[in-house]
């Protein structure tokens, strides 16, 4: 038992057979950057992590793989040949450190001819805690065996083949024997770490196309928006769909209910923020799946106070965070001052006047961005805004006046969004943390593919420097990819892993 490490965190990512990777193990520190040429597998590594995180949050295998990779076959290693039954697949895993010590999780996924988890192994404390195997291909289930260490050494039962068995254990294991308690501690540690991930991909074109108050009129890539502009189902708007209502049993203990809570060990509407971070929780900030970016149904009214993956609702979130913590906001302004050209004396959200046109904003009924068709009234500016007219984010340039942030360059706009993410906590981000675990015992992991995209070296280095300062507090971890590893040279605590094509 490692009692010193109270915040579960993924410390190793294994890409046993995934896309271009075979037998690759990546050690993860609080601040890890992946570098390498095009085709070296930087983005693939983050995709493998995101699939594990989604499965740990209770998503179905089809949803997790489809949202991240597009199709199951896209995850199969290049050159992999099918067996006699025409089966191909991929294997990924991770190690999570925490109070229960190092716990390893590995899964084998069959991608063809049908998608299913055909094998799962959870180990910790010198014991094999869970194994699953596909014994009857005609049934949508695997045979599971978990450690008991009582009168019966193991307990056997079927589990669905489209869910992560580890996330289901807290609802299946009684916890009466020492072996069962070890299984529960290990499973909950893995679930907490995986659910604490936030994928951040600020998209300037989507941020500029957002309506007043931050509600994006863009339908997202590959998804149409719902009624009254409730949010697109695609990745561009940050919505992930699949309203899980708290996941598939990710947790243990007494059922919880009420505003913003469902299920066990954490509802999808949880809003508890990390200690010392913005967003220490607001009662009733969302229903089942309403607050989490991965748990929001397309068309459902979204919480504009929680930053989405594409950061298209940045003005509304900035309006909230600037009021909640002046000290953190001052740090944000100082960082933006270092990264942006020209004077910067402040950064704030200001009311937008009724009828005021937005810079590049989609207007008129049914306005859409990149992707599918919009639903009724999408883009009309009548729902989800902060008041009737909403807010817009502006930079205070001193004697030069105010500058709307959407007029910043792509690199500057991405910097503002990523800096805001690093300075916040789960209560401000559209994610699904474990509500029943104290925030002081959780550690958020920000995943940023192409972290330095559109930025010059000065901006990228300032962003990494900010990440270093926040990681030192122990509540934020960062896994990102960069084109130029030199942006981290000389900075303490930054691990740069170079991947070969």
């Amino acid at each position: 038992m490692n009692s010193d490490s109270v915040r579960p965190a993924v410390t190793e990512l294994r890409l046993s057979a995934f896309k271009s990777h075979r037998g690759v193990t990546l050690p993860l520190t609080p601040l890890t950057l992946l570098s390498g040429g095009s085709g070296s597998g930087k983005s693939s590594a983050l995709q493998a992590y995101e699939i594990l995180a989604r499965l740990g949050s209770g998503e179905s295998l089809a949803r997790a793989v489809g949202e991240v990779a597009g199709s199951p076959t896209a995850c199969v290693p290049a050159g992999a040949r099918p067996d006699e039954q025409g089966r191909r697949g991929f294997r990924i895993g991770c190690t999570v450190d925490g109070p229960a010590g190092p716990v390893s999780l590995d899964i084998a996924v069959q991608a063809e001819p049908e998608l299913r988890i055909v094998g799962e192994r959870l180990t910790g404390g010198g014991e094999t805690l869970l194994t699953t195997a596909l014994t009857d291909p005609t049934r949508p289930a695997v045979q599971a065996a978990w450690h008991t260490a009582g009168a019966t050494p193991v307990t056997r039962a079927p589990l669905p083949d489209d869910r992560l068995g580890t996330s289901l254990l807290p609802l299946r294991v009684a916890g009466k024997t020492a072996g069962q308690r070890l299984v529960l501690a290990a499973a909950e540690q893995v679930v907490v770490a995986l659910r604490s991930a936030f994928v951040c991909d600020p998209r300037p074109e989507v941020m500029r196309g957002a309506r007043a108050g931050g509600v994006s009129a863009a339908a997202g890539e590959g998804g149409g928006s719902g009624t009254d502009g409730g949010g697109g189902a695609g990745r561009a708007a940050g919505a992930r769909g699949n309203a899980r209502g708290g996941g598939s049993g990710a947790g243990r203990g007494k059922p919880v209910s009420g505003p913003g809570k469902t299920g066990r060990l954490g509802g999808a509407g949880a809003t508890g923020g990390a200690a010392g971070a913005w967003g220490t929780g607001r009662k009733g900030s969302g229903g089942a799946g309403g607050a989490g970016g991965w748990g929001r149904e397309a068309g459902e009214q979204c919480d504009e106070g929680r930053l989405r993956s594409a950061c298209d609702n940045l003005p509304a979130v900035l309006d909230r965070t600037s009021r909640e913590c002046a000290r953190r906001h001052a740090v944000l302004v100082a960082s933006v001052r270092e990264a942006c050209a020209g004077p910067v004396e402040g950064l704030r959200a200001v009311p937008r006047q009724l009828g005021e046109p937005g810079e590049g904003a989609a207007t008129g009924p049914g306005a859409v961005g990149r992707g599918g068709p919009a639903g009724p009234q999408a883009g009309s500016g009548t729902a989800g805004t902060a008041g009737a007219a909403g807010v817009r984010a502006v930079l205070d340039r001193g004697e030069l006046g105010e500058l709307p942030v959407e007029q910043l360059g792509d690199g500057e706009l991405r910097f503002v969004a990523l800096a805001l993410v690093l300075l916040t906590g789960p209560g401000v981000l559209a994610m699904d943390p474990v509500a029943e675990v104290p925030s002081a015992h959780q550690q958020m992991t920000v995943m940023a593919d192409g972290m330095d995209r559109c930025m010059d070296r000065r901006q990228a280095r300032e962003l990494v420097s900010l990440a270093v300062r926040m990681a030192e507090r122990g509540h934020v971890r960062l896994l990102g990819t960069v084109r130029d590893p030199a942006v981290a040279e000389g900075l303490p605590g930054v691990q740069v892993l170079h991947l070969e094509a």
Side-chain angles (χ1 to χ4, degrees):
M1 180 76 70
N2 181 11
S3 59
D4 294 330
S5 180
V6 297
R7 303 186 185 101
V10 176
T11 55
E12 185 176 272
L13 179 64
R14 288 183 292 280
L15 310 172
S16 303
F18 185 79
K19 290 198 169 185
S20 62
H21 298 287
R22 288 183 180 272
V24 173
T25 298
L26 302 176
L28 304 181
T29 63
L31 212 169
T32 300
L33 299 177
L34 306 180
S35 70
S38 178
S40 60
K42 304 185 299 295
S43 298
S44 297
L46 266 66
Q47 287 179 344
Y49 192 128
E50 185 177 355
I51 289 174
L52 289 171
R54 286 172 169 270
L55 291 174
S57 294
E59 279 197 9
S60 69
L61 178 63
R63 184 76 181 184
V65 174
E67 287 287 330
V68 175
S71 70
T73 55
C75 301
V76 177
R81 297 182 178 180
D83 61 11
E84 295 80 1
Q85 285 76 41
R87 298 175 298 186
R88 296 197 309 161
F90 60 91
R91 290 179 290 122
I92 55 178
C94 64
T95 296
V96 176
D97 278 348
V103 178
S104 295
L105 169 69
D106 293 278
I107 62 172
V109 177
Q110 175 186 295
E112 296 175 334
E114 57 183 318
L115 183 64
R116 61 203 317 181
I117 298 176
V118 295
E120 181 177 346
R121 185 180 180 88
L122 184 73
T123 60
E127 301 284 352
T128 298
L129 305 176
L130 169 70
T131 59
T132 70
L134 181 65
T135 57
D136 184 355
T138 65
R139 298 182 59 201
V142 291
Q143 185 65 28
W146 57 82
H147 183 62
T148 303
T152 304
V154 297
T155 300
R156 302 183 187 276
L159 293 177
D161 64 0
D162 67 338
R163 305 281 171 170
L164 186 69
T166 297
S167 70
L168 303 178
L169 287 178
L171 292 180
R172 301 294 297 269
V173 180
K176 295 181 178 180
T177 69
Q180 290 177 338
R181 288 190 289 272
L182 177 60
V183 170
L184 287 173
E188 291 177 356
Q189 177 170 296
V190 170
V191 167
V192 168
L194 292 179
R195 285 180 62 174
S196 298
F198 179 72
V199 178
C200 185
D201 184 17
R203 304 194 177 195
E205 72 279 10
V206 177
M207 297 168 70
R208 293 189 180 101
R211 290 192 280 117
V215 180
S216 178
E221 295 181 357
S225 65
T227 60
D228 293 324
R235 293 175 63 89
R240 305 290 180 152
N242 190 38
R244 299 186 310 276
S248 295
R252 172 177 176 259
K254 297 181 179 179
V256 294
S257 60
K261 293 184 179 180
T262 60
R264 297 171 182 257
L265 196 143
T271 58
W278 274 319
T280 55
R282 293 178 299 153
K283 292 183 180 180
S285 67
W294 292 348
R296 184 167 63 246
E297 201 171 39
E300 182 179 331
Q301 187 70 17
C302 50
D303 184 352
E304 284 305 300
R306 292 166 67 89
L307 190 67
R308 296 191 286 268
S309 176
C311 301
D312 56 301
N313 60 334
L314 185 142
V317 177
L318 185 65
D319 180 49
R320 171 189 171 186
T321 56
S322 62
R323 291 182 282 104
E324 289 185 350
C325 185
R327 181 175 60 85
R328 289 289 180 107
H329 186 71
V331 175
L332 174 63
V333 172
S335 297
V336 172
R337 183 180 299 120
E338 293 296 323
C340 292
V344 175
E345 295 188 6
L347 172 65
R348 60 181 178 271
V350 298
R352 186 190 294 270
Q353 300 300 318
L354 280 172
E356 177 187 350
E359 295 292 334
T363 58
V368 297
R370 301 166 57 194
Q377 301 301 319
S380 65
T382 60
T385 59
V391 295
R392 71 187 310 174
V394 298
L395 281 182
D396 182 355
R397 296 285 197 177
E399 295 181 354
L400 299 180
E402 294 180 344
L403 177 71
V405 296
E406 59 263 29
Q407 294 183 15
L408 294 173
D410 285 0
E412 293 172 319
L413 198 54
R414 282 180 54 82
F415 180 94
V416 172
L418 285 165
L420 180 60
V421 169
L422 291 172
L423 284 163
T424 62
V428 180
L429 303 176
M431 58 185 296
D432 186 15
V434 179
E436 303 311 303
V437 174
S439 58
H441 290 184
Q442 298 187 52
Q443 195 167 198
M444 180 180 72
T445 297
V446 176
M447 292 190 286
D449 191 14
M451 179 176 168
D452 59 348
R453 188 186 314 135
C454 304
M455 299 184 195
D456 59 31
R457 180 173 294 188
R458 174 180 58 87
Q459 293 168 333
R461 186 171 179 82
E462 176 63 26
L463 186 62
V464 177
S465 298
L466 177 62
V468 169
R469 298 198 299 273
M470 299 311 299
E472 288 175 349
R473 291 176 169 268
H475 290 283
V476 177
R477 296 170 68 90
L478 172 67
L479 174 60
T481 69
V482 293
R483 297 168 300 169
D484 182 10
V487 300
E489 285 183 358
L491 295 178
V494 183
Q495 172 185 245
V496 179
L497 301 178
H498 186 76
L499 304 183
E500 299 290 342

